[in-house]
Amino acid sequence: MNYTRKIKTFGFINLNKPTGRSSALYVAKVKRLTGQPCGHLGTLDPLANGVLPVGIGNANRLFDYFLNKKKEYVAQFTFGETSDTLDSTGIIERGGTIPRAEEIAKALPAFIGETDQVPPDYSAKSVNGRRGYALARAGVEFTLPSKRVRIDRFELLGEGEDKNSYRFLIECGAGTYIRSLARDLAAALGTQALMSALTRTKSGVFFIENAVSPDVLTEENVESFIIPTESVLPFPRLTADKNNRVFTGVKTSVTAADGEYKLYRGEDFYGMATVKNGAFYTVTKLC
């Protein structure tokens, strides 16, 4: 791919992904505009919209530090129907009762905390090296193993825009499938449901109030929307002299508590360091 320019700024762009297109499409746009390698911090299905943080350049080396971030969604579940994808984009089968709001509200507390959740068949989870969605499209019968997820908040907001639907506010840990939550809530109520709308309003330190529409981004302004890497890392600062041997890969003594730190070479952000037993060393170099 040919680029007309290549920016030198690394960091993140907090995209407000529109409904109807893939996350990869918008990551590709940022890549084209910046001329840098790009990747996202957690995909959104085409049906969903909202916060999609995109890492630019060397910021992509830090994705592991965002694995445990908390996410927030506003979801719409439609009851009395389900589909092979567990959302409204699949082949829909209708049937089942429509619960009352008070019945739904009563069932929600049982989902708070850590729980085992089975991902949707149409997901990126793998079975024997093959993606679930590929197996499902090929008509192969398979079972995805359950995984441990955490739900911190599950609140009924009221009726949804579609018939027989309700809206929910959900705060959860990374890896939680909202489509599976629709299925499991309906099962607890003795019926079935699918996810018919989804907006991600928060992903770690990225909020929808500060997200930018991909349509706004141009080659001329894209750099102004890049958030510096160090500003979104929730770790304390550790500064070392520019001539410190730690920058040549040598473990160096330090008077700091054990843990992970943002490492600065003088005033310049260098990367991530680990302190253990009175010594520190670099674990991720960004410059």
Side-chain angles (χ1 to χ4, degrees), residues 96-203:
T97 60
I98 310 302
R100 300 189 304 273
E102 53 268 28
E103 293 175 317
I104 295 174
K106 188 176 180 180
L108 299 183
F111 290 87
I112 302 299
E114 291 194 351
T115 184
D116 290 321
Q117 184 186 74
V118 177
D121 286 349
Y122 281 84
S123 70
K125 295 299 179 182
S126 296
V127 177
N128 297 324
R130 294 188 64 186
R131 299 289 191 183
Y133 59 76
L135 293 171
R137 288 169 183 164
V140 177
E141 292 187 6
F142 64 98
T143 301
L144 289 174
S146 64
K147 60 172 294 184
R148 201 72 173 168
V149 300
R150 188 189 74 254
I151 299 172
D152 298 310
R153 187 178 181 185
F154 196 3
E155 179 182 330
L156 177 63
L157 297 178
E159 293 185 357
E161 295 182 358
D162 299 336
K163 183 180 179 181
N164 301 330
S165 68
Y166 293 89
R167 296 172 66 249
F168 300 86
L169 177 64
I170 302 162
E171 290 183 0
C172 58
T176 304
Y177 282 93
I178 307 302
R179 288 178 287 153
S180 292
L181 192 57
R183 174 200 62 202
D184 296 342
L185 172 61
L189 293 164
T191 186
Q192 54 187 10
L194 52 74
M195 185 186 78
S196 48
L198 183 69
T199 299
R200 184 155 66 195
T201 53
K202 175 184 175 183
S203 179

Side-chain angles (χ1 to χ4, degrees), residues 186-283:
L189 293 164
T191 186
Q192 54 187 10
L194 52 74
M195 185 186 78
S196 48
L198 183 69
T199 299
R200 184 155 66 195
T201 53
K202 175 184 175 183
S203 179
V205 298
F206 301 96
F207 295 83
I208 197 167
E209 292 83 1
N210 309 118
V212 58
S213 168
D215 293 339
V216 172
L217 300 178
T218 66
E219 195 172 88
E220 291 70 33
N221 70 17
V222 65
E223 196 162 2
S224 67
F225 289 100
I226 298 177
I227 304 168
T229 308
E230 61 266 35
S231 68
V232 298
L233 287 168
F235 298 96
R237 175 173 176 152
L238 181 62
T239 302
D241 183 85
K242 292 184 178 181
N243 297 318
N244 194 300
R245 292 191 302 164
V246 74
F247 299 114
T248 62
V250 178
K251 187 180 291 187
T252 309
S253 61
V254 68
T255 55
D258 287 1
E260 304 290 340
Y261 289 82
K262 293 184 290 187
L263 179 61
Y264 286 76
R265 188 174 189 175
E267 293 301 315
D268 298 324
F269 179 54
Y270 183 84
M272 294 299 298
T274 295
V275 175
K276 188 174 182 180
N277 299 326
F280 75 115
Y281 53 93
T282 59
V283 290

Side-chain angles (χ1 to χ4, degrees), residues 8-12 36-38 55-63 229 269-270 284-287:
K8 297 181 179 180
T9 303
F10 302 143
F12 295 89
Q36 292 288 351
C38 294
I56 299 164
N58 289 347
N60 292 289
R61 299 177 186 176
L62 298 171
F63 278 13
T229 308
F269 179 54
Y270 183 84
T284 306
K285 179 183 176 179
L286 297 181
C287 61

